[in-house]
Amino acid sequence: DSSVQFIKMIGDKFAIDFFDRMHVLIKNGEEIKNIHFSSLSDYIDWNLFDPLINNLTDYQSKWCIKVSESNFV
């Protein structure tokens, strides 16, 4: 549908596959990386854009958290 096409168009523009669930976005200062999920333990001090956010409250308080504080490592 049109919303999927829109997300794919954004992904193409930024070279990110939003539908690949094995990759996550992490941030350290101004630097953002798209890494494979299995590499998270190499970036403990970085922040993770949590892909499991499912409501506005969590988005506002937990969307960008330390990798070390996430449930993924």
Side-chain angles (χ1 to χ4, degrees), residues 51-64:
L52 301 179
I53 295 301
N54 56 15
N55 61 52
L56 182 59
T57 302
D58 285 349
Y59 169 74
Q60 292 170 332
S61 63
K62 302 178 191 173
W63 185 55
C64 189

Side-chain angles (χ1 to χ4, degrees), residues 25-35 42-49 64-67:
L25 291 174
I26 58 172
K27 179 179 179 181
N28 188 19
E30 294 299 315
E31 183 178 5
I32 296 176
K33 287 187 177 188
N34 181 6
I35 64 165
D42 296 334
Y43 297 92
I44 293 295
D45 295 327
W46 286 54
N47 290 319
L48 167 71
F49 293 102
C64 189
I65 59 172
K66 286 276 194 193
V67 170

